[in-house]
Amino acid sequence: MKADLDPKSRLFVALDVPNVEQARALVEAIGDAAKCYKVGLELLFGGGISFAQGLKAAGKDVFLDMKLLDIPNTVQMAAANIAGLGFDYLTVHGHDRKTLDAAVKGRGNAKLKLLAVTVLTSLDTSDLREQGIATIEPAELVVHRAKLAKAAGFDGVIASGQEAALVRKAVGPGFLIVTPGIRLAEGPDQDQARVMTPGKAIVAGASHLVVGRPITQATDPAAVARHFVEDIAKFA
Ligand code: C5P
């Protein structure tokens, strides 16, 4: 899927570090080996927004993993503000159409791509039951919400490698499927329970991969990032 994309632009390096100093050191060490960075809630409160603006100024793509969820007016205004800052990707919880529509409205004509978080991969069937969701399994809910996100005008979803094939079948080509939990065949899994190699995730239908610790904790982050990009290119 999305074979037209340059392999390097299909890799998001997750900057899951507490402060800007560590983030800057990583980006410097990675150099030209990666083009896109994910800034999440941890770095957000360590100076992440101005750091992310610096990344943009340096020609990188920025994925703000903010997982917005609030009343429509708040989501709309937050999406509008984020779009105005020139970032490339933003996550919004994709539970309901009102929230999705509000984010699309807030984004307006900006180039910001909206990605829906369908069901967090930390949640299993028993967690859905606890929430009062009684009749559906997580994978079915992921597909249901992916269709909802597409209908609302979202650009894509976050989905595990296991769900990528189901989602791709449901939404067709072109819709972005951004997949975390990616490990090289020879590396450790860390705490990710359902891991997949880059090639398998791409073949399953992922358009982009999110990779954190295998790159950020490597002795040579640039070499490992290059390895991921090579694997993406092989299977694209
Ligand atoms: O270090 P690792 O490669 O496991 O990092 C994966 C990144 O993807 C982290 O930023 C994590 O928050 C994110 N993520 C995930 N599973 C999800 C959604 C996001 O691991 N379902």
Side-chain angles (χ1 to χ4, degrees), residues 12-16 38 40 65 67 117 119-122 158-160 163 178-183 189-192 194 210-217:
F12 293 116
V13 178
L15 289 173
D16 296 326
K38 182 171 91 77
D65 191 10
K67 296 189 175 71
V117 179
V119 179
L120 291 170
T121 45
S122 51
I158 311 294
S160 79
E163 295 145 1
V178 178
T179 300
I182 301 299
R183 297 293 180 265
D189 291 350
Q190 278 113 7
D191 60 355
Q192 291 281 16
R194 292 182 290 151
V210 179
V211 181
R213 290 162 292 175
I215 295 174
T216 60
Q217 294 183 1

